[in-house]
Amino acid sequence: MPTRINYTEFNPSELINNNTLHLKAVLMPNNTTKLPDIYQSVRQRTENICAPLAIEDYIIQPIVEVSPPKWHLAHTTWFFETFLLKAFCRDYKDFHPQYAELFNSYYYTLGDMHPRPERGDLSRPTVEEIYHYRRVIDQQMLRLLNDINKTTDPQLVDRVVLGLQHEQQHQELLLTDIKYILGKNPLRPAYQTLPIPPQVKQVTPEWIEIEGGIYGIGFDGSGFAFDNEGPRHDQLLSPFSICSHLVTNGDYMAFLDDDGYQRVELWLSDAWRLLQESARIKDWQAPLYWEKVDGQWWHMTLGGMRKVDPNAPVSHLSYFEADAYARWTGKRLPTEAEWEVFAQQRPIIGNFYEQGWLTPIASNSPQIYGDVWEWTQSPYSAYPGYRALDGALGEYNGKFMCNQMVLRGGSCATPFDHIRPSYRNFFYPQDRWQFTGLRLAESLT
Protein backbone atom coordinates (compact mmCIF):
# COMPACT_ATOMS: atom_id res chain seq x y z
CA MET A 1 0.00 0.00 0.00
CA PRO A 2 1.30 3.50 -0.80
CA THR A 3 1.86 6.12 1.88
CA ARG A 4 -0.81 8.79 2.14
CA ILE A 5 0.64 12.12 0.93
CA ASN A 6 0.06 15.54 2.46
CA TYR A 7 -0.57 17.93 -0.43
CA THR A 8 -1.18 21.02 1.66
CA GLU A 9 2.13 22.60 0.56
CA PHE A 10 1.74 21.43 -3.05
CA ASN A 11 3.44 23.67 -5.63
CA PRO A 12 2.13 23.10 -9.17
CA SER A 13 5.30 24.46 -10.78
CA GLU A 14 7.49 21.81 -9.14
CA LEU A 15 5.90 18.92 -11.05
CA ILE A 16 6.34 20.47 -14.47
CA ASN A 17 9.89 21.64 -13.74
CA ASN A 18 11.04 18.30 -12.32
CA ASN A 19 9.24 16.10 -14.83
CA THR A 20 12.26 15.36 -17.03
CA LEU A 21 11.55 11.70 -17.79
CA HIS A 22 9.01 12.23 -20.54
CA LEU A 23 7.71 9.21 -22.39
CA LYS A 24 8.57 10.97 -25.66
CA ALA A 25 12.25 10.48 -24.83
CA VAL A 26 12.09 6.76 -25.52
CA LEU A 27 10.78 7.39 -29.01
CA MET A 28 14.06 8.91 -30.16
CA PRO A 29 16.40 6.65 -32.19
CA ASN A 30 18.80 4.51 -30.15
CA ASN A 31 17.31 5.69 -26.88
CA THR A 32 15.76 2.47 -25.56
CA THR A 33 18.23 2.43 -22.65
CA LYS A 34 15.87 4.87 -20.92
CA LEU A 35 12.95 2.49 -21.26
CA PRO A 36 13.24 0.90 -17.76
CA ASP A 37 13.38 4.32 -16.09
CA ILE A 38 10.47 5.66 -18.10
CA TYR A 39 8.48 2.51 -17.42
CA GLN A 40 8.97 2.99 -13.67
CA SER A 41 8.15 6.70 -13.92
CA VAL A 42 4.84 6.11 -15.69
CA ARG A 43 3.85 3.23 -13.41
CA GLN A 44 4.72 5.24 -10.29
CA ARG A 45 2.58 8.15 -11.46
CA THR A 46 -0.48 5.89 -11.44
CA GLU A 47 0.15 4.99 -7.81
CA ASN A 48 0.84 8.64 -6.96
CA ILE A 49 -2.62 9.50 -8.31
CA CYS A 50 -4.15 6.93 -5.95
CA ALA A 51 -2.05 7.94 -2.94
CA PRO A 52 -4.54 10.51 -1.50
CA LEU A 53 -7.39 7.97 -1.53
CA ALA A 54 -8.84 6.32 1.55
CA ILE A 55 -9.12 2.55 1.32
CA GLU A 56 -12.91 2.86 0.99
CA ASP A 57 -12.53 4.95 -2.18
CA TYR A 58 -10.81 2.18 -4.14
CA ILE A 59 -13.82 -0.05 -4.82
CA ILE A 60 -16.74 2.30 -5.56
CA GLN A 61 -18.47 2.30 -8.96
CA PRO A 62 -21.39 4.79 -8.94
CA ILE A 63 -22.18 4.47 -12.68
CA VAL A 64 -21.28 1.96 -15.39
CA GLU A 65 -18.87 4.36 -17.12
CA VAL A 66 -16.78 4.80 -13.95
CA SER A 67 -14.42 2.04 -12.88
CA PRO A 68 -13.19 1.64 -9.29
CA PRO A 69 -9.60 2.87 -8.79
CA LYS A 70 -8.62 -0.64 -7.71
CA TRP A 71 -9.74 -1.97 -11.07
CA HIS A 72 -7.65 0.61 -12.96
CA LEU A 73 -4.57 -0.42 -10.96
CA ALA A 74 -5.17 -4.06 -11.78
CA HIS A 75 -6.19 -3.67 -15.42
CA THR A 76 -3.13 -1.64 -16.41
CA THR A 77 -0.97 -4.33 -14.77
CA TRP A 78 -2.88 -7.10 -16.55
CA PHE A 79 -2.13 -5.29 -19.82
CA PHE A 80 1.66 -5.63 -19.33
CA GLU A 81 1.34 -9.19 -18.09
CA THR A 82 -0.81 -10.21 -21.06
CA PHE A 83 0.76 -8.33 -23.96
CA LEU A 84 4.41 -8.27 -22.83
CA LEU A 85 5.32 -10.97 -20.32
CA LYS A 86 3.23 -13.72 -21.89
CA ALA A 87 4.38 -12.73 -25.37
CA PHE A 88 8.12 -12.30 -24.75
CA CYS A 89 8.99 -14.47 -21.73
CA ARG A 90 9.36 -18.19 -22.32
CA ASP A 91 7.35 -20.47 -20.01
CA TYR A 92 5.65 -17.52 -18.32
CA LYS A 93 3.03 -18.53 -15.73
CA ASP A 94 0.01 -16.39 -14.91
CA PHE A 95 0.22 -14.47 -11.66
CA HIS A 96 -3.32 -15.65 -10.86
CA PRO A 97 -5.45 -17.97 -13.01
CA GLN A 98 -8.59 -15.79 -12.72
CA TYR A 99 -7.09 -12.31 -13.08
CA ALA A 100 -7.33 -12.57 -16.86
CA GLU A 101 -11.11 -12.70 -16.53
CA LEU A 102 -11.43 -10.15 -13.71
CA PHE A 103 -9.28 -7.45 -15.30
CA ASN A 104 -9.74 -7.92 -19.02
CA SER A 105 -11.61 -4.82 -20.21
CA TYR A 106 -12.99 -5.55 -23.68
CA TYR A 107 -10.62 -7.95 -25.48
CA TYR A 108 -13.06 -10.67 -26.53
CA THR A 109 -10.39 -12.53 -28.48
CA LEU A 110 -8.58 -13.18 -25.18
CA GLY A 111 -11.52 -14.87 -23.47
CA ASP A 112 -14.26 -14.10 -20.96
CA MET A 113 -14.34 -10.97 -18.81
CA HIS A 114 -16.09 -9.86 -15.65
CA PRO A 115 -19.11 -7.67 -16.57
CA ARG A 116 -18.23 -3.99 -16.60
CA PRO A 117 -21.24 -2.90 -14.49
CA GLU A 118 -20.11 -5.29 -11.73
CA ARG A 119 -16.53 -4.11 -11.26
CA GLY A 120 -17.56 -2.35 -8.07
CA ASP A 121 -18.89 -5.61 -6.62
CA LEU A 122 -15.40 -7.08 -6.24
CA SER A 123 -14.25 -6.69 -2.65
CA ARG A 124 -11.59 -9.31 -3.38
CA PRO A 125 -8.82 -9.33 -4.41
CA THR A 126 -8.07 -6.65 -1.85
CA VAL A 127 -6.38 -3.35 -2.60
CA GLU A 128 -3.25 -4.66 -0.87
CA GLU A 129 -3.26 -7.74 -3.09
CA ILE A 130 -3.55 -5.58 -6.20
CA TYR A 131 -0.55 -3.49 -5.15
CA HIS A 132 1.35 -6.73 -4.63
CA TYR A 133 0.30 -7.81 -8.13
CA ARG A 134 1.70 -4.56 -9.52
CA ARG A 135 5.01 -5.01 -7.71
CA VAL A 136 5.49 -8.57 -8.98
CA ILE A 137 4.64 -7.69 -12.59
CA ASP A 138 6.84 -4.59 -12.45
CA GLN A 139 9.80 -6.65 -11.24
CA GLN A 140 9.40 -9.06 -14.12
CA MET A 141 8.87 -6.26 -16.62
CA LEU A 142 12.08 -4.56 -15.48
CA ARG A 143 14.01 -7.77 -15.94
CA LEU A 144 12.60 -7.95 -19.46
CA LEU A 145 13.42 -4.31 -20.19
CA ASN A 146 16.99 -4.66 -18.92
CA ASP A 147 17.63 -7.60 -21.25
CA ILE A 148 19.62 -5.82 -23.95
CA ASN A 149 19.07 -8.68 -26.38
CA LYS A 150 15.30 -8.28 -26.16
CA THR A 151 15.08 -4.50 -26.05
CA THR A 152 16.71 -4.35 -29.46
CA ASP A 153 13.52 -6.00 -30.74
CA PRO A 154 11.43 -3.15 -32.22
CA GLN A 155 8.22 -5.13 -31.69
CA LEU A 156 8.90 -5.34 -27.95
CA VAL A 157 9.73 -1.63 -27.71
CA ASP A 158 6.59 -0.70 -29.65
CA ARG A 159 4.49 -2.92 -27.40
CA VAL A 160 5.97 -1.39 -24.22
CA VAL A 161 5.36 2.15 -25.46
CA LEU A 162 1.79 1.22 -26.34
CA GLY A 163 1.36 -0.17 -22.81
CA LEU A 164 2.69 3.05 -21.29
CA GLN A 165 0.42 5.18 -23.46
CA HIS A 166 -2.44 2.91 -22.37
CA GLU A 167 -1.50 3.47 -18.73
CA GLN A 168 -1.48 7.22 -19.29
CA GLN A 169 -5.03 7.00 -20.62
CA HIS A 170 -6.02 5.25 -17.41
CA GLN A 171 -4.26 7.90 -15.33
CA GLU A 172 -6.65 10.47 -16.75
CA LEU A 173 -9.58 8.10 -16.31
CA LEU A 174 -8.52 7.54 -12.70
CA LEU A 175 -8.73 11.26 -11.97
CA THR A 176 -12.10 11.73 -13.64
CA ASP A 177 -13.49 8.56 -12.08
CA ILE A 178 -12.25 9.62 -8.63
CA LYS A 179 -13.89 13.01 -9.14
CA TYR A 180 -17.22 11.35 -9.98
CA ILE A 181 -16.96 8.98 -7.03
CA LEU A 182 -16.36 11.84 -4.60
CA GLY A 183 -18.80 14.13 -6.38
CA LYS A 184 -21.65 11.66 -5.76
CA ASN A 185 -20.94 11.78 -2.02
CA PRO A 186 -23.23 14.31 -0.24
CA LEU A 187 -20.23 15.39 1.86
CA ARG A 188 -18.45 16.55 -1.33
CA PRO A 189 -15.06 15.46 0.02
CA ALA A 190 -11.92 16.81 -1.65
CA TYR A 191 -9.59 14.36 -3.36
CA GLN A 192 -6.67 16.44 -2.11
CA THR A 193 -5.82 20.01 -1.19
CA LEU A 194 -5.22 21.85 -4.46
CA PRO A 195 -4.05 25.41 -5.08
CA ILE A 196 -6.60 28.02 -6.14
CA PRO A 197 -5.90 29.10 -9.75
CA PRO A 198 -5.01 32.77 -10.21
CA GLN A 199 -7.79 35.14 -11.20
CA VAL A 200 -7.51 36.30 -14.80
CA LYS A 201 -9.46 39.19 -16.27
CA GLN A 202 -11.86 38.44 -19.08
CA VAL A 203 -10.27 38.73 -22.51
CA THR A 204 -11.83 39.19 -25.92
CA PRO A 205 -11.16 36.03 -27.95
CA GLU A 206 -9.79 36.32 -31.46
CA TRP A 207 -11.30 34.65 -34.50
CA ILE A 208 -8.61 33.03 -36.63
CA GLU A 209 -9.38 32.62 -40.32
CA ILE A 210 -8.10 29.51 -42.09
CA GLU A 211 -7.96 29.42 -45.87
CA GLY A 212 -9.71 26.68 -47.75
CA GLY A 213 -7.58 24.05 -49.44
CA ILE A 214 -6.20 20.55 -49.25
CA TYR A 215 -4.53 19.72 -45.93
CA GLY A 216 -2.70 16.69 -44.57
CA ILE A 217 -4.62 15.16 -41.67
CA GLY A 218 -3.48 12.45 -39.24
CA PHE A 219 -0.27 11.09 -37.77
CA ASP A 220 2.81 12.40 -39.57
CA GLY A 221 5.04 9.39 -38.91
CA SER A 222 7.25 10.96 -36.22
CA GLY A 223 7.10 9.20 -32.84
CA PHE A 224 4.19 7.23 -31.37
CA ALA A 225 0.56 7.26 -32.42
CA PHE A 226 -2.42 5.00 -31.90
CA ASP A 227 -3.58 3.16 -35.01
CA ASN A 228 -6.73 5.30 -35.28
CA GLU A 229 -4.61 8.42 -35.93
CA GLY A 230 -3.69 7.22 -39.40
CA PRO A 231 -3.14 6.77 -42.21
CA ARG A 232 -2.24 10.37 -42.88
CA HIS A 233 -4.36 11.57 -45.76
CA ASP A 234 -5.37 14.68 -47.66
CA GLN A 235 -8.64 16.40 -46.87
CA LEU A 236 -10.32 19.31 -48.62
CA LEU A 237 -11.51 22.05 -46.27
CA SER A 238 -13.64 25.07 -47.08
CA PRO A 239 -12.59 28.42 -45.57
CA PHE A 240 -13.49 28.70 -41.89
CA SER A 241 -12.69 30.65 -38.77
CA ILE A 242 -12.11 29.26 -35.29
CA CYS A 243 -12.01 30.90 -31.88
CA SER A 244 -8.65 31.32 -30.12
CA HIS A 245 -10.18 30.60 -26.71
CA LEU A 246 -12.43 27.96 -25.24
CA VAL A 247 -16.01 28.73 -24.26
CA THR A 248 -16.00 29.91 -20.65
CA ASN A 249 -18.22 29.32 -17.65
CA GLY A 250 -19.44 32.91 -17.97
CA ASP A 251 -20.37 32.32 -21.60
CA TYR A 252 -22.33 29.24 -20.59
CA MET A 253 -24.07 31.06 -17.74
CA ALA A 254 -25.58 33.38 -20.36
CA PHE A 255 -26.96 30.30 -22.12
CA LEU A 256 -28.50 29.14 -18.84
CA ASP A 257 -29.97 32.58 -18.17
CA ASP A 258 -31.59 32.47 -21.62
CA ASP A 259 -33.38 29.20 -20.72
CA GLY A 260 -31.10 27.22 -23.02
CA TYR A 261 -32.12 23.87 -21.55
CA GLN A 262 -35.83 24.59 -22.13
CA ARG A 263 -35.61 25.63 -25.82
CA VAL A 264 -36.39 22.65 -28.01
CA GLU A 265 -35.14 24.36 -31.19
CA LEU A 266 -31.55 24.26 -29.89
CA TRP A 267 -31.34 20.53 -29.26
CA LEU A 268 -30.83 17.47 -31.40
CA SER A 269 -33.72 15.00 -31.27
CA ASP A 270 -31.86 12.39 -29.21
CA ALA A 271 -30.67 15.10 -26.85
CA TRP A 272 -34.13 16.56 -26.31
CA ARG A 273 -35.56 13.12 -25.62
CA LEU A 274 -32.82 12.56 -23.03
CA LEU A 275 -33.54 15.92 -21.39
CA GLN A 276 -37.22 15.02 -21.00
CA GLU A 277 -36.54 11.79 -19.12
CA SER A 278 -37.70 12.23 -15.53
CA ALA A 279 -34.42 10.95 -14.13
CA ARG A 280 -32.48 13.56 -16.12
CA ILE A 281 -34.62 16.66 -15.69
CA LYS A 282 -32.99 17.67 -12.40
CA ASP A 283 -29.43 16.67 -13.31
CA TRP A 284 -29.41 18.14 -16.82
CA GLN A 285 -30.11 21.80 -16.10
CA ALA A 286 -26.46 22.88 -16.00
CA PRO A 287 -23.03 21.30 -16.53
CA LEU A 288 -22.26 18.24 -14.44
CA TYR A 289 -21.17 19.13 -10.86
CA TRP A 290 -22.75 22.62 -10.92
CA GLU A 291 -24.94 23.60 -7.96
CA LYS A 292 -26.61 26.93 -7.29
CA VAL A 293 -26.29 28.13 -3.69
CA ASP A 294 -27.85 31.47 -2.67
CA GLY A 295 -27.86 32.62 -6.29
CA GLN A 296 -24.20 31.72 -6.87
CA TRP A 297 -22.97 28.84 -9.02
CA TRP A 298 -20.64 26.40 -7.27
CA HIS A 299 -19.13 23.21 -8.65
CA MET A 300 -17.38 20.13 -7.40
CA THR A 301 -13.65 19.98 -8.17
CA LEU A 302 -10.92 17.56 -7.17
CA GLY A 303 -10.09 20.18 -4.54
CA GLY A 304 -13.65 20.17 -3.19
CA MET A 305 -16.53 22.60 -3.73
CA ARG A 306 -15.55 25.96 -5.23
CA LYS A 307 -17.28 28.95 -6.76
CA VAL A 308 -17.45 28.73 -10.53
CA ASP A 309 -14.85 31.03 -12.13
CA PRO A 310 -16.70 32.77 -14.98
CA ASN A 311 -13.47 33.21 -16.96
CA ALA A 312 -12.33 29.57 -16.80
CA PRO A 313 -13.29 27.14 -19.58
CA VAL A 314 -16.62 25.42 -19.08
CA SER A 315 -16.23 21.70 -18.51
CA HIS A 316 -18.17 18.45 -18.03
CA LEU A 317 -20.50 19.07 -20.96
CA SER A 318 -21.89 16.34 -23.16
CA TYR A 319 -21.70 16.61 -26.93
CA PHE A 320 -25.43 17.35 -26.86
CA GLU A 321 -24.89 20.36 -24.58
CA ALA A 322 -21.89 21.61 -26.57
CA ASP A 323 -23.88 21.38 -29.81
CA ALA A 324 -26.90 23.15 -28.29
CA TYR A 325 -24.71 25.97 -26.97
CA ALA A 326 -23.05 26.41 -30.37
CA ARG A 327 -26.48 26.63 -32.05
CA TRP A 328 -27.54 29.21 -29.49
CA THR A 329 -24.57 31.42 -30.44
CA GLY A 330 -25.22 31.05 -34.16
CA LYS A 331 -21.87 29.30 -34.56
CA ARG A 332 -20.98 25.60 -34.69
CA LEU A 333 -18.48 23.06 -33.44
CA PRO A 334 -15.37 22.59 -35.58
CA THR A 335 -14.79 19.37 -37.46
CA GLU A 336 -11.85 17.34 -36.22
CA ALA A 337 -9.94 18.14 -39.44
CA GLU A 338 -10.50 21.87 -38.91
CA TRP A 339 -9.29 21.57 -35.32
CA GLU A 340 -6.16 19.69 -36.39
CA VAL A 341 -5.27 22.21 -39.11
CA PHE A 342 -5.72 24.99 -36.56
CA ALA A 343 -3.60 23.24 -33.91
CA GLN A 344 -0.90 21.35 -35.77
CA GLN A 345 1.39 24.36 -36.33
CA ARG A 346 1.11 25.58 -32.75
CA PRO A 347 3.23 24.48 -29.77
CA ILE A 348 1.80 21.97 -27.30
CA ILE A 349 1.46 24.38 -24.39
CA GLY A 350 -1.42 24.33 -21.95
CA ASN A 351 -2.87 23.30 -18.63
CA PHE A 352 -2.00 19.60 -18.29
CA TYR A 353 -1.74 17.15 -15.39
CA GLU A 354 1.85 18.11 -14.58
CA GLN A 355 0.90 21.68 -13.69
CA GLY A 356 -1.13 20.39 -10.78
CA TRP A 357 -4.29 22.50 -11.04
CA LEU A 358 -6.44 19.49 -12.00
CA THR A 359 -9.18 21.85 -13.12
CA PRO A 360 -9.62 24.11 -16.17
CA ILE A 361 -8.17 27.55 -15.55
CA ALA A 362 -8.64 30.99 -17.07
CA SER A 363 -5.95 32.29 -19.40
CA ASN A 364 -5.15 35.48 -21.29
CA SER A 365 -3.24 33.44 -23.87
CA PRO A 366 -4.90 31.45 -26.66
CA GLN A 367 -5.95 28.03 -25.37
CA ILE A 368 -5.14 25.32 -27.90
CA TYR A 369 -4.17 22.30 -25.82
CA GLY A 370 -5.07 21.22 -22.30
CA ASP A 371 -7.82 22.38 -19.91
CA VAL A 372 -10.68 20.44 -21.56
CA TRP A 373 -11.14 17.88 -24.30
CA GLU A 374 -12.96 19.71 -27.08
CA TRP A 375 -16.00 18.20 -28.73
CA THR A 376 -15.94 18.29 -32.51
CA GLN A 377 -18.87 17.69 -34.84
CA SER A 378 -17.06 14.68 -36.36
CA PRO A 379 -18.28 11.12 -35.79
CA TYR A 380 -15.55 8.71 -34.71
CA SER A 381 -14.88 6.64 -37.82
CA ALA A 382 -11.96 5.20 -39.77
CA TYR A 383 -9.66 7.32 -41.89
CA PRO A 384 -9.32 6.26 -45.55
CA GLY A 385 -7.11 3.17 -45.71
CA TYR A 386 -7.31 2.46 -41.98
CA ARG A 387 -6.49 -1.05 -40.85
CA ALA A 388 -6.68 -2.22 -37.26
CA LEU A 389 -3.69 -3.92 -35.65
CA ASP A 390 -3.42 -7.67 -35.99
CA GLY A 391 -4.50 -9.94 -33.12
CA ALA A 392 -6.11 -8.90 -29.86
CA LEU A 393 -4.60 -5.41 -29.99
CA GLY A 394 -6.77 -4.79 -33.04
CA GLU A 395 -9.64 -4.45 -30.56
CA TYR A 396 -7.99 -1.40 -28.95
CA ASN A 397 -9.60 1.29 -31.15
CA GLY A 398 -11.15 0.02 -34.33
CA LYS A 399 -14.20 -1.73 -32.97
CA PHE A 400 -15.45 1.45 -31.27
CA MET A 401 -15.88 3.37 -34.53
CA CYS A 402 -19.65 3.65 -34.19
CA ASN A 403 -22.03 6.07 -32.43
CA GLN A 404 -19.26 8.12 -30.78
CA MET A 405 -17.92 11.62 -31.39
CA VAL A 406 -14.32 12.81 -31.66
CA LEU A 407 -12.71 15.13 -29.11
CA ARG A 408 -9.36 16.87 -29.47
CA GLY A 409 -6.69 18.70 -27.49
CA GLY A 410 -6.27 17.03 -24.09
CA SER A 411 -7.34 18.26 -20.68
CA CYS A 412 -6.09 19.38 -17.27
CA ALA A 413 -5.86 15.66 -16.35
CA THR A 414 -3.93 14.58 -19.47
CA PRO A 415 -0.18 13.92 -19.09
CA PHE A 416 1.77 16.40 -21.18
CA ASP A 417 3.83 13.75 -22.96
CA HIS A 418 0.67 11.88 -23.98
CA ILE A 419 -0.86 14.48 -26.30
CA ARG A 420 -0.16 15.39 -29.95
CA PRO A 421 -2.05 17.24 -32.71
CA SER A 422 -3.35 14.04 -34.32
CA TYR A 423 -4.67 12.46 -31.09
CA ARG A 424 -8.29 11.34 -31.46
CA ASN A 425 -10.25 10.87 -28.25
CA PHE A 426 -13.83 9.62 -28.49
CA PHE A 427 -16.89 9.35 -26.28
CA TYR A 428 -20.62 8.84 -26.62
CA PRO A 429 -22.59 12.07 -27.12
CA GLN A 430 -24.31 11.83 -23.73
CA ASP A 431 -21.05 11.36 -21.77
CA ARG A 432 -19.96 14.25 -19.58
CA TRP A 433 -17.99 12.90 -16.61
CA GLN A 434 -14.73 13.65 -18.44
CA PHE A 435 -13.18 17.12 -18.62
CA THR A 436 -15.03 17.97 -21.83
CA GLY A 437 -15.83 21.41 -23.24
CA LEU A 438 -15.81 23.25 -26.56
CA ARG A 439 -14.52 25.98 -28.82
CA LEU A 440 -16.59 27.60 -31.54
CA ALA A 441 -16.07 27.73 -35.28
CA GLU A 442 -17.94 29.10 -38.28
CA SER A 443 -17.88 28.65 -42.04
CA LEU A 444 -16.70 31.55 -44.21
CA THR A 445 -18.53 30.51 -47.36
Side-chain angles (χ1 to χ4, degrees), residues 40 42 108 127 142 155 158 168 198 203 210 220 235 242 248 252 290 329 343 356 364 373 403 426:
Q40 291 183 89
V42 172
Y108 290 98
V127 174
L142 289 172
Q155 184 181 6
D158 289 347
Q168 288 185 318
V203 298
I210 308 291
D220 64 5
Q235 190 160 337
I242 190 166
T248 67
Y252 205 80
W290 282 35
T329 66
N364 287 323
W373 286 101
N403 299 330
F426 50 93

Side-chain angles (χ1 to χ4, degrees), residues 22-52:
H22 291 311
L23 179 55
K24 291 179 181 178
V26 80
L27 304 178
M28 303 301 291
N30 304 316
N31 205 30
T32 57
T33 56
K34 292 186 179 293
L35 197 52
D37 291 337
I38 293 175
Y39 173 87
Q40 291 183 89
S41 176
V42 172
R43 295 281 286 170
Q44 183 60 51
R45 176 184 285 176
T46 304
E47 298 188 14
N48 291 347
I49 289 171
C50 291

Side-chain angles (χ1 to χ4, degrees), residues 342-385:
F342 162 63
Q344 63 188 354
Q345 299 302 321
R346 290 170 170 81
I348 301 178
I349 299 172
N351 173 25
F352 294 105
Y353 166 81
E354 287 84 355
Q355 290 179 282
W357 303 113
L358 300 186
T359 193
I361 63 174
S363 175
N364 287 323
S365 302
Q367 297 161 299
I368 315 301
Y369 296 96
D371 282 303
V372 295
W373 286 101
E374 303 170 35
W375 288 107
T376 74
Q377 62 174 257
S378 298
Y380 178 52
S381 60
Y383 284 159

Side-chain angles (χ1 to χ4, degrees), residues 87-158:
F88 292 94
C89 295
R90 182 179 299 177
D91 300 325
Y92 179 82
K93 294 182 180 180
D94 289 0
F95 176 85
H96 190 287
Q98 290 178 280
Y99 278 17
E101 178 178 344
L102 291 180
F103 304 122
N104 180 359
S105 53
Y106 49 70
Y107 297 90
Y108 290 98
T109 55
L110 294 177
D112 295 334
M113 62 201 70
H114 192 76
R116 179 170 183 170
E118 299 175 14
R119 291 172 183 172
D121 297 343
L122 299 173
S123 62
R124 306 296 175 94
T126 65
V127 174
E128 184 175 6
E129 287 171 329
I130 293 305
Y131 274 106
H132 176 65
Y133 176 42
R134 287 180 68 89
R135 288 194 295 271
V136 170
I137 297 304
D138 284 348
Q139 290 169 0
Q140 295 184 69
M141 277 297 302
L142 289 172
R143 282 198 293 269
L144 176 63
L145 297 181
N146 282 303
D147 186 338
I148 191 64
N149 294 320
K150 291 183 177 178
T151 51
T152 57
D153 181 347
Q155 184 181 6
L156 182 146
V157 173
D158 289 347

Side-chain angles (χ1 to χ4, degrees), residues 219-236:
F219 178 55
D220 64 5
S222 174
F224 173 85
F226 291 112
D227 63 350
N228 65 356
E229 297 175 50
R232 188 168 177 83
H233 59 285
D234 290 336
Q235 190 160 337
L236 175 63

